[in-house]
Amino acid sequence: MRDGVTIWTEGGAQIGMGHLVRCINIAGALDALGIPVRFLVNSDRAVIERLDGAGFARSASPAGWERIEGLTHGIVLIDTRKDVTEEISALKATGR
């Protein structure tokens, strides 16, 4: 599915939950507009529980950042402090 937004973020005890909470709020606004939203996140238990509680579809991996194939929508919103320059280049190469 290429229409919609995949939100690629992370959270947890080591990182904090600010990125995730911000993204959940953005996802809620997109959902209210009828735009499909999916999350790609790290597999921290608190992150998974928060997303499940909010009712958003998600894919999770231990680090979260090696799962570009989990980005199913045409638009990708990335919220992290990490340097993701290479990942962004890879996404642009696929037309996202």
XYZ file of all heavy atoms in Angstrom:
716
model
N 0.837 -1.178 0.000
C 0.000 0.000 0.000
C 0.880 1.239 0.000
O 1.671 1.437 0.896
C -0.884 -0.033 1.239
C -1.690 1.205 1.433
S -2.582 1.080 3.002
C -4.182 1.473 2.423
N 0.767 2.047 -1.014
C 1.647 3.207 -1.159
C 0.981 4.513 -0.740
O 1.649 5.512 -0.586
C 2.114 3.323 -2.606
C 2.880 2.140 -3.131
C 4.303 2.173 -2.798
N 4.864 3.434 -3.187
C 6.129 3.723 -3.123
N 6.958 2.842 -2.697
N 6.585 4.897 -3.464
N -0.330 4.526 -0.565
C -0.976 5.748 -0.113
C -1.085 5.709 1.400
O -1.457 4.720 1.987
C -2.348 5.921 -0.763
C -3.258 4.739 -0.507
O -2.755 3.659 -0.154
O -4.475 4.896 -0.648
N -0.731 6.778 2.028
C -0.750 6.830 3.477
C 0.618 7.234 4.004
O 1.507 7.624 3.254
N 0.768 7.125 5.310
C 1.990 7.558 5.971
C 2.504 6.456 6.880
O 1.745 5.879 7.652
C 1.736 8.839 6.802
C 2.982 9.256 7.564
C 1.239 9.972 5.916
N 3.792 6.156 6.761
C 4.465 5.299 7.730
C 5.267 6.213 8.633
O 6.022 7.058 8.158
C 5.417 4.296 7.054
O 4.662 3.427 6.211
C 6.147 3.457 8.098
N 5.080 6.049 9.937
C 5.833 6.834 10.907
C 6.918 5.940 11.487
O 6.635 4.897 12.066
C 4.907 7.373 12.011
C 3.860 8.314 11.396
C 5.731 8.081 13.088
C 2.830 8.836 12.372
N 8.156 6.366 11.313
C 9.324 5.594 11.720
C 9.950 6.300 12.917
O 10.544 7.362 12.782
C 10.284 5.560 10.549
C 11.368 4.545 10.595
C 11.609 3.622 11.567
C 12.370 4.356 9.606
N 12.707 2.872 11.231
C 13.186 3.297 10.032
C 12.650 4.975 8.398
C 14.277 2.846 9.301
C 13.738 4.526 7.669
C 14.536 3.474 8.109
N 9.761 5.732 14.115
C 10.243 6.382 15.327
C 10.669 5.342 16.351
O 10.695 4.146 16.055
C 9.183 7.358 15.884
O 9.779 8.181 16.882
C 7.971 6.627 16.425
N 10.984 5.789 17.540
C 11.456 4.895 18.582
C 11.136 5.479 19.948
O 10.792 6.642 20.065
C 12.961 4.680 18.439
C 13.725 5.992 18.522
C 15.141 5.896 18.028
O 15.668 4.789 17.899
O 15.723 6.952 17.774
N 11.267 4.651 20.961
C 11.042 5.099 22.328
C 11.442 4.017 23.301
O 11.906 2.950 22.913
N 11.253 4.293 24.574
C 11.565 3.315 25.606
C 12.280 3.935 26.785
O 12.507 5.147 26.838
N 12.648 3.097 27.740
C 13.273 3.559 28.976
C 14.593 4.291 28.717
O 14.874 5.302 29.348
C 13.486 2.375 29.916
N 15.394 3.802 27.802
C 16.697 4.414 27.515
C 16.559 5.701 26.704
O 17.344 6.623 26.866
C 17.584 3.425 26.729
C 17.868 2.161 27.456
C 18.926 2.346 28.536
O 19.263 3.449 28.922
N 19.460 1.245 29.018
N 15.580 5.742 25.830
C 15.427 6.847 24.883
C 14.440 7.892 25.389
O 14.566 9.078 25.118
C 14.923 6.305 23.516
C 15.896 5.283 22.968
C 14.696 7.418 22.517
C 15.346 4.468 21.815
N 13.432 7.434 26.100
C 12.315 8.291 26.473
C 11.156 8.052 25.519
O 11.284 7.316 24.535
N 10.027 8.656 25.800
C 8.830 8.413 24.995
C 8.374 9.646 24.216
O 7.340 9.628 23.577
C 7.703 7.922 25.896
C 8.001 6.592 26.575
S 8.138 5.218 25.438
C 6.413 4.789 25.267
N 9.159 10.713 24.258
C 8.754 11.954 23.596
C 8.530 11.822 22.106
O 7.523 12.324 21.580
N 9.440 11.141 21.404
C 9.283 10.962 19.963
C 8.006 10.186 19.666
O 7.231 10.553 18.776
C 10.475 10.188 19.367
C 11.768 10.919 19.452
N 12.072 11.990 18.656
C 12.842 10.729 20.258
C 13.276 12.431 18.953
N 13.773 11.687 19.929
N 7.781 9.120 20.404
C 6.604 8.284 20.168
C 5.312 9.037 20.457
O 4.373 8.997 19.656
C 6.673 7.007 21.008
C 5.495 6.065 20.811
C 5.500 5.477 19.400
C 5.504 4.983 21.861
N 5.252 9.733 21.584
C 4.033 10.466 21.944
C 3.725 11.532 20.902
O 2.572 11.688 20.471
C 4.162 11.072 23.353
C 3.011 12.013 23.654
C 4.226 9.954 24.399
N 4.735 12.248 20.471
C 4.534 13.256 19.418
C 3.975 12.607 18.152
O 3.031 13.101 17.531
C 5.862 13.964 19.118
C 5.781 14.967 18.002
C 7.082 15.747 17.751
N 8.303 14.984 17.902
C 9.170 15.163 18.910
N 8.923 16.046 19.857
N 10.280 14.449 18.967
N 4.544 11.472 17.780
C 4.110 10.790 16.566
C 2.706 10.215 16.692
O 1.943 10.197 15.718
C 5.115 9.704 16.186
S 6.670 10.396 15.587
N 2.336 9.748 17.870
C 0.969 9.265 18.081
C -0.019 10.410 17.886
O -1.086 10.234 17.278
C 0.816 8.599 19.456
C 1.537 7.241 19.455
C -0.652 8.432 19.834
C 1.608 6.567 20.812
N 0.330 11.598 18.361
C -0.549 12.759 18.165
C -0.674 13.121 16.686
O -1.768 13.424 16.200
C -0.045 13.951 18.973
C -0.287 13.777 20.452
O -1.288 13.208 20.860
N 0.640 14.239 21.259
N 0.431 13.095 15.970
C 0.394 13.352 14.522
C -0.443 12.286 13.820
O -1.276 12.592 12.961
C 1.819 13.407 13.941
C 2.547 14.641 14.476
C 1.799 13.398 12.417
C 4.036 14.650 14.202
N -0.248 11.030 14.205
C -1.008 9.927 13.602
C -2.504 10.093 13.851
O -3.317 9.815 12.966
C -0.529 8.591 14.163
N -2.865 10.559 15.029
C -4.276 10.790 15.320
C -4.887 11.836 14.407
O -6.010 11.684 13.923
N -4.130 12.902 14.145
C -4.615 13.947 13.241
C -4.737 13.422 11.814
O -5.729 13.714 11.116
C -3.680 15.148 13.285
N -3.764 12.635 11.368
C -3.837 12.047 10.028
C -5.004 11.082 9.914
O -5.741 11.089 8.924
C -2.525 11.329 9.694
C -1.290 12.216 9.537
C -0.030 11.371 9.474
C -1.423 13.099 8.318
N -5.188 10.264 10.937
C -6.290 9.307 10.952
C -7.636 10.024 10.882
O -8.546 9.581 10.176
C -6.190 8.442 12.208
C -7.212 7.336 12.242
O -7.227 6.507 11.311
O -8.007 7.299 13.213
N -7.749 11.133 11.578
C -8.998 11.914 11.551
C -9.292 12.447 10.151
O -10.456 12.679 9.803
C -8.918 13.070 12.555
N -8.261 12.608 9.344
C -8.427 13.059 7.958
C -8.638 11.894 6.990
O -8.731 12.086 5.786
C -7.201 13.868 7.516
C -6.983 15.196 8.238
C -5.622 15.776 7.869
C -8.103 16.175 7.913
N -8.659 10.679 7.536
C -8.863 9.496 6.704
C -7.591 8.996 6.026
O -7.664 8.227 5.071
N -6.443 9.424 6.498
C -5.165 9.008 5.919
C -4.654 7.787 6.674
O -4.487 7.841 7.890
C -4.142 10.159 5.988
C -4.657 11.359 5.191
C -2.768 9.696 5.501
C -3.866 12.628 5.380
N -4.399 6.676 5.969
C -3.896 5.477 6.638
C -2.520 5.736 7.260
O -1.666 6.379 6.652
C -3.776 4.441 5.520
C -4.608 4.960 4.406
C -4.614 6.453 4.537
N -2.338 5.228 8.477
C -1.087 5.412 9.205
C -0.602 4.060 9.713
O -1.390 3.247 10.195
C -1.278 6.359 10.412
C 0.017 6.502 11.199
C -1.782 7.719 9.964
N 0.697 3.845 9.607
C 1.342 2.645 10.137
C 2.639 3.092 10.811
O 3.278 4.033 10.370
C 1.641 1.665 9.014
C 2.374 0.439 9.456
C 2.532 -0.559 8.302
N 2.916 -1.815 8.842
C 2.085 -2.709 9.369
N 0.797 -2.467 9.401
N 2.528 -3.839 9.853
N 3.008 2.432 11.876
C 4.241 2.751 12.586
C 5.297 1.688 12.335
O 4.979 0.499 12.253
C 3.990 2.810 14.097
C 3.415 4.109 14.578
C 2.059 4.362 14.470
C 4.228 5.075 15.152
C 1.517 5.555 14.924
C 3.705 6.272 15.606
C 2.345 6.510 15.498
N 6.544 2.112 12.250
C 7.699 1.229 12.287
C 8.516 1.690 13.488
O 8.966 2.834 13.535
C 8.521 1.329 11.007
C 9.779 0.455 10.967
C 9.417 -1.026 11.051
C 10.576 0.720 9.716
N 8.662 0.812 14.469
C 9.276 1.193 15.739
C 10.238 0.122 16.230
O 10.240 -1.003 15.736
C 8.193 1.425 16.820
C 7.312 2.602 16.465
C 7.346 0.177 17.041
N 11.022 0.493 17.241
C 11.842 -0.491 17.929
C 10.912 -1.381 18.765
O 9.740 -1.066 18.967
C 12.892 0.192 18.799
C 12.294 1.137 19.827
O 11.401 1.915 19.522
N 12.802 1.085 21.036
N 11.417 -2.502 19.225
C 10.543 -3.488 19.882
C 10.482 -3.355 21.399
O 10.149 -4.306 22.094
C 10.983 -4.905 19.494
O 12.327 -5.107 19.859
N 10.734 -2.167 21.922
C 10.602 -1.930 23.356
C 9.166 -2.177 23.794
O 8.216 -1.725 23.144
C 11.005 -0.485 23.669
C 11.029 -0.198 25.148
O 9.950 0.076 25.717
O 12.123 -0.261 25.727
N 9.000 -2.908 24.881
C 7.662 -3.297 25.341
C 6.743 -2.092 25.579
O 5.564 -2.109 25.216
C 7.783 -4.131 26.613
C 6.474 -4.599 27.139
C 6.667 -5.460 28.356
N 5.368 -5.782 28.936
C 5.201 -6.660 29.865
N 6.230 -7.320 30.342
N 4.010 -6.897 30.349
N 7.287 -1.031 26.182
C 6.471 0.157 26.460
C 5.982 0.806 25.161
O 4.855 1.299 25.092
C 7.264 1.158 27.291
N 6.810 0.785 24.144
C 6.440 1.349 22.839
C 5.296 0.543 22.231
O 4.297 1.104 21.778
C 7.660 1.376 21.896
C 7.250 1.748 20.480
C 8.718 2.333 22.421
N 5.440 -0.778 22.237
C 4.416 -1.661 21.670
C 3.094 -1.490 22.403
O 2.028 -1.355 21.787
C 4.880 -3.133 21.720
C 6.198 -3.318 20.972
C 3.795 -4.065 21.202
C 6.221 -2.857 19.561
N 3.154 -1.464 23.730
C 1.924 -1.305 24.516
C 1.254 0.033 24.247
O 0.030 0.117 24.148
C 2.234 -1.462 26.004
C 2.567 -2.888 26.391
C 2.991 -3.037 27.844
O 3.064 -2.015 28.570
O 3.259 -4.192 28.254
N 2.038 1.086 24.123
C 1.468 2.421 23.864
C 0.793 2.469 22.492
O -0.311 3.001 22.347
C 2.581 3.469 23.949
C 2.104 4.886 23.887
C 1.412 5.256 25.211
N 0.925 6.594 25.199
C 1.488 7.611 25.843
N 2.558 7.422 26.567
N 0.967 8.809 25.780
N 1.438 1.898 21.484
C 0.835 1.886 20.145
C -0.394 0.997 20.086
O -1.397 1.354 19.467
C 1.855 1.435 19.104
C 2.862 2.484 18.688
C 3.882 1.879 17.749
C 2.177 3.671 18.034
N -0.324 -0.164 20.723
C -1.493 -1.045 20.751
C -2.663 -0.358 21.439
O -3.805 -0.453 20.988
C -1.156 -2.369 21.427
C -0.269 -3.263 20.573
O -0.078 -2.957 19.375
O 0.231 -4.264 21.117
N -2.379 0.369 22.512
C -3.425 1.101 23.219
C -4.032 2.209 22.378
O -5.211 2.522 22.500
N -3.217 2.801 21.511
C -3.706 3.873 20.641
C -4.409 3.318 19.403
O -5.080 4.055 18.689
C -2.538 4.770 20.217
N -4.217 2.007 19.143
C -4.923 1.368 18.040
C -4.297 1.532 16.671
O -4.979 1.362 15.661
N -3.011 1.831 16.605
C -2.364 1.997 15.312
C -1.623 0.734 14.892
O -1.042 0.041 15.716
C -1.384 3.173 15.331
C -2.071 4.500 15.411
C -2.055 5.232 16.578
C -2.748 5.004 14.313
C -2.708 6.454 16.663
C -3.404 6.222 14.381
C -3.385 6.948 15.557
N -1.642 0.453 13.587
C -0.903 -0.686 13.036
C 0.585 -0.412 13.213
O 1.030 0.728 13.170
C -1.228 -0.863 11.554
N 1.339 -1.489 13.411
C 2.762 -1.310 13.640
C 3.556 -2.517 13.184
O 3.049 -3.622 13.096
C 3.044 -1.082 15.111
C 2.566 -2.267 15.947
C 3.169 -2.304 17.311
N 2.551 -3.324 18.128
C 2.840 -4.616 18.064
N 3.719 -5.047 17.202
N 2.232 -5.481 18.848
N 4.806 -2.264 12.897
C 5.823 -3.283 12.708
C 6.927 -2.906 13.676
O 7.212 -1.730 13.868
C 6.378 -3.278 11.286
O 5.386 -3.645 10.365
N 7.540 -3.909 14.284
C 8.595 -3.621 15.250
C 9.781 -4.536 15.011
O 9.621 -5.674 14.577
C 8.073 -3.803 16.675
N 10.961 -4.013 15.280
C 12.173 -4.818 15.230
C 13.062 -4.379 16.385
O 12.871 -3.295 16.932
C 12.876 -4.652 13.886
O 13.351 -3.344 13.743
N 14.036 -5.184 16.773
C 14.856 -4.846 17.933
C 15.437 -3.436 17.884
O 15.376 -2.708 18.849
C 15.943 -5.922 17.922
C 15.297 -7.086 17.274
C 14.385 -6.496 16.221
N 15.984 -3.039 16.768
C 16.544 -1.692 16.667
C 15.588 -0.759 15.939
O 15.631 0.434 16.103
C 17.882 -1.726 15.951
N 14.711 -1.312 15.115
C 13.760 -0.503 14.365
C 14.304 0.053 13.074
O 13.609 0.149 12.085
N 15.580 0.381 13.034
C 16.136 1.142 11.928
C 16.636 0.312 10.769
O 16.997 0.851 9.742
C 17.234 2.059 12.446
C 16.614 3.041 13.346
C 16.564 2.968 14.714
C 15.859 4.180 12.988
N 15.837 4.012 15.211
C 15.394 4.776 14.180
C 15.537 4.766 11.775
C 14.620 5.928 14.178
C 14.763 5.913 11.785
C 14.316 6.480 12.969
N 16.683 -1.000 10.892
C 17.132 -1.814 9.762
C 15.957 -2.378 8.971
O 16.123 -3.205 8.109
C 18.038 -2.956 10.234
C 17.317 -4.047 10.982
C 17.101 -3.751 12.452
O 17.502 -2.687 12.924
O 16.498 -4.591 13.125
N 14.764 -1.910 9.211
C 13.565 -2.493 8.622
C 12.927 -1.610 7.561
O 11.734 -1.359 7.590
C 12.546 -2.781 9.726
C 12.953 -3.842 10.710
C 12.834 -5.245 10.131
N 11.567 -5.482 9.504
C 10.485 -5.958 10.095
N 10.518 -6.262 11.356
N 9.380 -6.150 9.419
N 13.687 -1.115 6.610
C 13.126 -0.251 5.570
C 12.005 -0.964 4.823
O 11.037 -0.349 4.404
C 14.222 0.250 4.614
C 15.085 1.263 5.350
C 13.626 0.861 3.354
C 16.212 1.835 4.542
N 12.072 -2.300 4.700
C 11.006 -3.018 3.996
C 9.672 -2.925 4.729
O 8.628 -3.169 4.159
C 11.392 -4.485 3.774
C 11.412 -5.344 5.026
C 12.734 -5.308 5.777
O 13.620 -4.521 5.425
O 12.864 -6.081 6.744
N 9.680 -2.530 5.989
C 8.439 -2.351 6.739
C 7.737 -1.047 6.431
O 6.635 -0.806 6.888
N 8.375 -0.194 5.651
C 7.794 1.099 5.300
C 6.913 0.916 4.078
O 7.361 0.990 2.956
C 8.906 2.108 5.047
C 9.861 2.306 6.220
C 11.048 3.157 5.796
C 9.160 2.923 7.403
N 5.649 0.674 4.320
C 4.749 0.285 3.254
C 4.064 1.458 2.555
O 3.519 1.282 1.485
C 3.659 -0.649 3.809
O 2.997 0.006 4.888
C 4.265 -1.947 4.296
N 4.058 2.618 3.152
C 3.364 3.760 2.563
C 4.328 4.636 1.767
O 5.535 4.589 1.951
C 2.683 4.589 3.650
C 1.574 3.868 4.348
N 0.537 3.270 3.672
C 1.340 3.642 5.653
C -0.296 2.720 4.546
N 0.180 2.925 5.751
N 3.752 5.457 0.900
C 4.553 6.327 0.051
C 5.221 7.461 0.799
O 6.284 7.922 0.424
N 4.596 7.928 1.869
C 5.169 9.011 2.670
C 5.711 8.410 3.954
O 5.049 7.621 4.617
C 4.116 10.084 2.988
C 3.647 10.737 1.693
C 4.657 11.105 3.976
C 2.486 11.681 1.866
N 6.935 8.803 4.300
C 7.572 8.311 5.520
C 7.927 9.509 6.391
O 8.641 10.414 5.953
C 8.851 7.505 5.199
C 9.504 7.013 6.486
C 8.522 6.335 4.272
N 7.413 9.522 7.596
C 7.731 10.544 8.576
C 8.727 9.918 9.550
O 8.445 8.873 10.130
C 6.459 10.977 9.307
C 6.584 12.105 10.314
C 5.254 12.827 10.402
C 7.040 11.634 11.666
N 9.890 10.543 9.699
C 10.930 10.003 10.574
C 11.133 10.953 11.743
O 11.320 12.155 11.548
C 12.272 9.836 9.810
C 12.079 8.904 8.617
C 13.357 9.325 10.751
C 13.281 8.838 7.691
N 11.087 10.410 12.955
C 11.296 11.209 14.159
C 12.311 10.492 15.038
O 11.982 9.541 15.736
C 9.976 11.411 14.895
C 10.094 12.404 16.047
O 11.221 12.811 16.391
O 9.049 12.765 16.617
N 13.554 10.940 14.987
C 14.634 10.354 15.766
C 15.766 11.358 15.908
O 15.844 12.321 15.134
C 15.174 9.070 15.110
O 16.173 8.489 15.962
C 15.764 9.338 13.753
N 16.639 11.099 16.846
C 17.867 11.889 16.971
C 19.014 11.248 16.193
O 20.061 11.849 16.031
C 18.285 11.999 18.433
C 17.437 12.911 19.226
C 18.008 13.062 20.603
N 17.409 14.216 21.232
C 17.753 14.677 22.395
N 18.713 14.083 23.077
N 17.152 15.723 22.912
N 18.820 10.032 15.730
C 19.876 9.311 15.027
C 20.139 9.935 13.661
O 19.251 10.534 13.053
C 19.475 7.848 14.830
C 19.390 7.084 16.123
C 19.000 5.655 15.875
C 18.929 4.893 17.181
N 18.499 3.521 16.987
N 21.347 9.744 13.167
C 21.690 10.163 11.812
C 21.160 9.091 10.856
O 21.655 7.971 10.830
C 23.200 10.295 11.656
C 23.616 10.697 10.244
O 22.735 10.933 9.384
O 24.824 10.771 10.001
N 20.144 9.427 10.100
C 19.515 8.471 9.189
C 19.686 8.900 7.732
O 18.873 8.576 6.880
C 18.023 8.260 9.542
C 17.888 7.569 10.880
C 17.264 9.581 9.534
N 20.788 9.580 7.454
C 21.072 10.071 6.107
C 21.047 8.943 5.078
O 20.443 9.075 4.012
C 22.431 10.792 6.072
O 22.415 11.825 7.057
C 22.708 11.377 4.702
N 21.696 7.828 5.389
C 21.734 6.696 4.448
C 20.346 6.106 4.244
O 19.971 5.751 3.124
C 22.694 5.624 4.949
C 24.143 6.043 4.865
C 25.093 4.966 5.347
O 24.742 3.773 5.246
O 26.184 5.325 5.800
N 19.572 5.998 5.313
C 18.222 5.450 5.209
C 17.337 6.359 4.360
O 16.523 5.889 3.561
C 17.608 5.237 6.595
C 18.238 4.103 7.375
C 19.524 4.496 8.100
O 20.019 5.631 7.920
O 20.041 3.644 8.851
N 17.496 7.663 4.525
C 16.712 8.607 3.722
C 17.069 8.481 2.253
O 16.190 8.479 1.376
C 16.893 10.048 4.235
C 16.213 10.187 5.604
C 16.347 11.062 3.243
C 16.504 11.488 6.310
N 18.343 8.334 1.949
C 18.770 8.136 0.559
C 18.158 6.878 -0.021
O 17.694 6.877 -1.166
C 20.301 8.074 0.476
O 20.858 9.305 0.807
N 18.140 5.810 0.771
C 17.536 4.553 0.312
C 16.044 4.723 0.069
O 15.490 4.193 -0.907
C 17.796 3.440 1.326
N 15.363 5.439 0.931
C 13.928 5.682 0.750
C 13.662 6.503 -0.507
O 12.760 6.192 -1.279
C 13.355 6.413 1.969
C 13.251 5.586 3.235
C 12.920 6.475 4.419
C 12.208 4.488 3.069
N 14.453 7.542 -0.719
C 14.279 8.370 -1.914
C 14.494 7.545 -3.178
O 13.799 7.747 -4.177
C 15.242 9.545 -1.881
C 14.828 10.617 -0.911
C 15.786 11.789 -0.969
C 15.345 12.919 -0.066
N 16.258 14.068 -0.151
N 15.418 6.614 -3.121
C 15.696 5.757 -4.289
C 14.497 4.882 -4.633
O 14.340 4.473 -5.788
C 16.926 4.890 -4.031
N 13.625 4.596 -3.655
C 12.435 3.794 -3.912
C 11.214 4.661 -4.214
O 10.112 4.138 -4.345
C 12.115 2.871 -2.721
O 11.747 3.653 -1.594
C 13.279 1.962 -2.387
N 11.420 5.978 -4.289
C 10.309 6.872 -4.627
C 9.513 7.355 -3.431
O 8.450 7.950 -3.605
N 9.999 7.147 -2.246
C 9.281 7.618 -1.046
C 9.798 8.967 -0.636
O 10.866 9.382 -0.970
C 9.443 6.617 0.092
C 8.772 5.305 -0.232
C 8.894 4.349 0.948
N 8.219 3.119 0.665
C 8.853 1.995 0.356
N 10.147 1.945 0.318
N 8.165 0.915 0.125
